[in-house]
Amino acid sequence: MATLALEDVKKAFGATQVLHGVDLEVADGEMIVIVGASGCGKSTLLRIVAGLETATSGRVIIGGQDVTPLEPADRDVAMVFQNYALYPHMSVFDNMAYGLRIRGLPREVIARRVQEAAELLGIAALLERKPRQLSGGQRQRVAMGRAIVREPKLFLFDEPLSNLDAKLRVQMRAEIRRLQKRLGVTSLFVTHDQVEAMTLGDRLVVMHQGHAAQIATPMEIWERPADTYVAGFIGSPAMNFLPATLTAGGTAARLETNGLVLPFADGPRAGEEGRRLTLGIRPEHLRPGIGGLDLQVELVEPLGGESVLHGRLADGAPITAKLPGALHAEGPLGVIIPLEHLHVFDAETGKRLDAQA
Amino acid sequence: MEKKVIFKGWALPLALLLPQLVITGIFFFWPAGQAVYQSFLREDAFGLSRQFVGFENFADVLSDPTWLDALWRTGFFSASVAFLALSVALFLAVQADKHIRGANAYKTLLIWPYAVAPAIAAVLWLFMFHPNIGLFGRMLNGMGIPWNYKLNGDQAMLLIILASAWKQVSYNFIFFLAGLQSIPRSVLEAAAIDGARPARRFWTVVFPLLSPTAFFLLVVNLVYAFFDTFGVIHALTQGGPGKATETLIYRVYTDGVMNLNLGSSAAQSVILMILVIALTMVQFRFIERKVHY
Ligand SMILES: Nc1ncnc2c1ncn2[C@@H]1O[C@H](COP(=O)(O)OP(=O)(O)O)[C@@H](O)[C@H]1O
Ligand SMILES: [Mg+2]
């Protein structure tokens, strides 16, 4: 158990800059989820922490010690890989005992620790088997077990659930969270799945093209996304964006599509009249009603208690609404925008614009 | 789903198979059958008379102390060739695997020896190690190390081991490199994170995962050392000095072609054939059981 700090970590593969300077402070026992689209540099960041890649510049500090120059073997971290990376020629027991044997622990201690971890994970009956004799979910557990027995300073997970089927994934997700809380080991968990991220993390790092776009708790990110990328990435279905301009002395926005003026609920924004804005509204916050947006609904997806409606405005811009009930029809529909749920972003930079104090 | 091609009648399939069958028949089954047949006969050196003698040729061979010497010599020779060819190839493959970008150039370089005919390979080694005209031979002598494989039996053995192993390294290398590249990178990374340093990673992860390849190559190398080294020995030492480099296969040649003792020579080749069949069967059994994992 330890704290972790990343200081301005940069990485380039040849001419390609993959990480553009990531800073992160992780408290002891915290579970941090690194989430982002495929190829944004999540694995690279995790591998730099593990010591499998060398950062081009910046420092990695584990438990107060600068480990940047250390080999993976000397960092006392454990990692669970997406493909599990079990040793194919070793039994489950030997897979889990491997790291302990290297540390020269006495035989009884190894046997006891492996047994305990195996019981914790429900794989005690499989200790004699070889990896090829296990199902995907069981391999996943062995990979977890191999990390747990080590009692490392850090757990690193690189999309460990993405090779499991949907049901098992939900089950293992809850299990990982329970285990991590119980063992209290500081953890970094990489995923491209925003639901996994929201449910697992104490805090999230939303990565975008090698930058940490936002680092905050899941609710904070959902309620106050730092920019349009984060706003669109977190939340399902994704947030609607509408172009608008600042008006009424900064106290309201005028929608470009129909000239509708929406006063800000939380206070005025800085900037001159006509400043270009992007307004964001989540599909679940839209309500049926007259005097807002006029939609032409093209597709209704019933989810049981609620439905997702895909439609278009008169100018062709797509809008998604999530409304209660299952009885919705295609065709024209009016929705209103509750002002307290409006997100305001600068149109040029995409950054969030907060109300002036 | 198995895909079957159906031929009408049997003429076309037979015609398609015929060239292969004829070649196998003429160059393998016919001489092999001849050898088995010969091994039960005794014939005078001029081929004027022959008589059926049962297993007598075999009994003579197996009780001949010089044949038993040759058997041990062959064992030592084959084990040395296999060990040397395998370990050098493994070392090179591991180095190549580390710098995978350059691997193609490396591969091409290393496959060359395999494409060289045994006699030419031997001449190459002869030019290097001939005591008077060879580059290294003269260098050794110049440094005060007496080097003459034409007089010193141990040196002669060393030379044919080196020359034979050298030819086999490239073949082994290709297989080892393919084996190394099929080990997932993440497994090695997991071992590194588990605390294993490179040497330990090699012996506890890489080597066990390569062992099916290594076992297959061991058998191939032994069979090679038993049979395919005739050309190398013939060109370098002709089995000498004395009988210092006379292996079983070379002895088949000396007894049959030089001494015209056809019955004994045939019996010896039948014994060799049985040895190879046995080796191959061991190999198949192991491969069926999927060595280790
Ligand atoms: N060893 C490497 N050499 C060159 N480029 C790499 C290497 N590893 C990753 N990359 C590149 O870095 C980017 C980020 O990769 P990665 O960290 O694996 O993304 P993620 O895990 O977020 O999907 C990708 O564009 C990928 O192609
Ligand atoms: Mg990845």
Side-chain angles (χ1 to χ4, degrees):
Chain A
M1 273 169 275
T3 58
L4 166 71
L6 302 182
E7 292 180 359
D8 197 24
V9 170
K10 292 184 181 163
K11 176 70 182 177
F13 289 109
T16 342
Q17 191 75 28
V18 173
L19 294 175
H20 300 265
V22 175
D23 290 277
L24 177 66
E25 296 265 354
V26 184
D28 191 7
E30 202 176 10
M31 177 87 155
I32 297 286
V33 175
I34 301 170
V35 63
S38 177
C40 68
K42 309 179 295 287
S43 296
T44 305
L45 187 63
L46 198 72
R47 292 165 59 80
I48 287 173
V49 175
L52 296 172
E53 300 283 359
T54 316
T56 314
S57 69
R59 301 200 304 157
V60 178
I61 296 157
I62 299 176
Q65 185 200 2
D66 185 354
V67 300
T68 318
L70 297 188
E71 291 292 313
D74 301 316
R75 296 193 178 193
D76 195 16
V77 301
M79 183 153 164
V80 179
F81 292 81
Q82 177 171 0
N83 63 1
Y84 317 135
L86 301 177
Y87 310 123
H89 57 301
M90 295 185 199
S91 67
V92 169
F93 182 93
D94 289 337
N95 261 282
M96 289 166 72
Y98 186 74
L100 302 180
R101 291 203 176 115
I102 289 172
R103 276 161 189 76
L105 265 63
R107 189 180 286 269
E108 321 79 67
V109 177
I110 294 177
R112 180 170 48 76
R113 277 218 221 163
V114 171
Q115 189 65 36
E116 279 172 11
E119 272 160 24
L120 198 62
L121 290 160
I123 50 172
L126 308 176
L127 287 175
E128 300 306 317
R129 296 223 197 145
K130 293 277 170 67
R132 71 184 145 84
Q133 300 166 309
L134 302 176
S135 71
Q138 290 168 333
R139 283 180 207 182
Q140 223 295 306
R141 282 162 197 269
V142 177
M144 292 275 302
R146 184 169 66 179
I148 290 173
V149 288
R150 290 259 317 277
E151 297 177 7
K153 286 186 185 145
L154 274 186
F155 279 155
L156 306 174
F157 300 89
D158 193 355
E159 310 214 13
L161 305 179
S162 49
N163 287 358
L164 301 179
D165 62 59
K167 186 162 173 251
L168 204 53
R169 196 179 315 162
V170 173
Q171 192 187 332
M172 281 309 289
R173 188 169 79 200
E175 205 160 321
I176 287 181
R177 185 57 173 150
R178 245 192 324 270
L179 272 173
Q180 193 272 337
K181 276 194 167 147
R182 174 165 165 187
L183 302 170
V185 180
T186 315
S187 304
L188 288 187
F189 188 107
V190 163
T191 179
H192 64 266
D193 178 351
Q194 48 130 339
V195 179
E196 224 166 88
M198 294 291 281
T199 50
L200 271 174
D202 291 319
R203 282 191 300 151
L204 311 188
V205 177
V206 183
M207 299 260 308
H208 180 44
Q209 293 177 347
H211 296 274
Q214 188 170 11
I215 304 176
T217 63
M219 276 324 284
E220 211 174 315
I221 286 182
W222 194 78
E223 281 169 356
R224 297 172 38 81
D227 58 29
T228 46
Y229 177 79
V230 177
F233 187 78
I234 298 291
S236 173
M239 186 184 279
N240 297 300
F241 294 111
L242 296 162
T245 48
L246 197 61
T247 188
T251 61
R254 182 193 306 277
L255 285 184
E256 270 172 27
T257 177
N258 59 2
L260 185 69
V261 174
L262 300 166
F264 300 129
D266 50 356
R269 264 63 179 178
E272 69 278 20
E273 192 81 5
R275 178 180 183 177
R276 293 165 46 72
L277 305 174
T278 300
L279 297 186
I281 180 78
R282 294 199 181 276
E284 53 270 47
H285 291 147
L286 290 173
R287 288 289 156 257
I290 308 298
L293 301 169
D294 293 319
L295 284 187
Q296 194 64 33
V297 177
E298 295 171 341
L299 177 68
V300 179
E301 294 177 331
L303 300 176
E306 51 199 356
S307 305
V308 176
L309 281 64
H310 299 271
R312 285 184 189 282
L313 298 176
D315 61 2
I319 294 285
T320 313
K322 194 173 184 180
L323 303 178
L327 296 172
H328 297 281
E330 285 150 25
L333 174 76
V335 290
I336 48 175
I337 302 173
L339 299 175
E340 68 276 20
H341 290 305
L342 208 57
H343 300 265
V344 186
F345 304 97
D346 182 87
E348 267 82 53
T349 63
K351 295 271 177 256
R352 180 180 193 82
L353 283 183
D354 277 319
Q356 286 170 309
Chain B
M1 286 287 278
E2 216 171 307
K3 220 178 175 180
K4 273 189 189 159
V5 180
I6 313 256
F7 288 106
K8 286 193 186 98
W10 48 267
L12 183 59
L14 188 69
L16 291 173
L17 281 175
L18 207 60
Q20 188 61 41
L21 288 176
V22 166
I23 287 172
T24 315
I26 293 180
F27 293 102
F28 180 70
F29 284 109
W30 187 63
Q34 285 284 305
V36 174
Y37 175 63
Q38 279 282 351
S39 67
F40 293 109
L41 297 178
R42 186 157 293 171
E43 201 169 330
D44 70 77
F46 303 104
L48 296 178
S49 67
R50 53 168 60 166
Q51 67 182 114
F52 184 77
V53 293
F55 283 96
E56 220 171 279
N57 285 328
F58 290 93
D60 286 353
V61 166
L62 292 173
S63 62
D64 179 353
T66 61
W67 188 85
L68 292 174
D69 281 349
L71 177 65
W72 289 123
R73 197 179 296 124
T74 307
F76 172 76
F77 169 74
S78 305
S80 306
V81 169
F83 176 78
L84 199 63
L86 285 173
S87 49
V88 170
L90 181 57
F91 175 79
L92 292 175
V94 168
Q95 300 310 312
D97 187 45
K98 280 186 199 159
H99 312 279
I100 220 59
R101 266 169 228 265
N104 271 331
Y106 210 5
K107 261 190 225 166
T108 320
L109 280 180
L110 276 149
I111 199 69
W112 278 355
Y114 198 67
V116 176
I120 296 173
V123 169
L124 205 75
W125 283 82
L126 194 136
F127 276 130
M128 288 196 294
F129 284 97
H130 192 282
N132 305 326
I133 59 166
L135 183 65
F136 294 105
R138 284 170 46 154
M139 216 150 76
L140 285 169
N141 281 317
M143 290 189 314
I145 303 165
W147 170 265
N148 191 345
Y149 66 87
K150 289 181 181 292
L151 299 177
N152 185 324
D154 293 340
Q155 291 183 354
M157 178 56 90
L158 183 66
L159 189 63
I160 61 165
I161 289 174
L162 287 177
S164 308
W166 174 75
K167 252 194 72 63
Q168 198 61 13
V169 164
S170 45
Y171 180 86
N172 297 347
F173 171 83
I174 298 295
F175 276 83
F176 274 138
L177 188 60
L180 283 170
Q181 302 209 340
S182 71
I183 299 176
R185 229 170 87 114
S186 59
V187 170
L188 297 175
E189 290 175 345
I193 291 178
D194 262 347
R197 314 233 165 243
R200 183 158 195 148
R201 281 205 297 273
F202 180 80
W203 289 113
T204 57
V205 179
V206 176
F207 193 72
L209 290 177
L210 276 184
S211 65
T213 310
F215 182 76
F216 158 77
L217 287 176
L218 177 68
V219 174
V220 169
N221 281 245
L222 286 178
V223 171
Y224 160 80
F226 266 52
F227 287 96
D228 281 356
T229 48
F230 174 82
V232 171
I233 298 173
H234 192 57
L236 277 176
T237 65
Q238 290 91 41
K243 288 185 176 299
T245 54
E246 190 186 74
T247 60
L248 290 178
I249 188 76
Y250 202 77
R251 203 187 148 103
V252 170
Y253 166 77
T254 338
D255 282 355
V257 179
M258 309 297 283
N259 303 339
L260 289 179
N261 192 347
L262 295 185
S264 169
S265 175
Q268 293 180 35
S269 25
V270 170
I271 294 173
L272 278 179
M273 240 188 298
I274 292 171
L275 272 175
V276 170
I277 292 171
L279 269 176
T280 313
M281 274 171 37
V282 168
Q283 171 163 35
F284 280 148
R285 290 206 61 154
F286 265 92
I287 284 179
E288 263 165 30
R289 281 206 226 123
K290 286 226 180 108
V291 187
H292 280 304
Y293 68 96

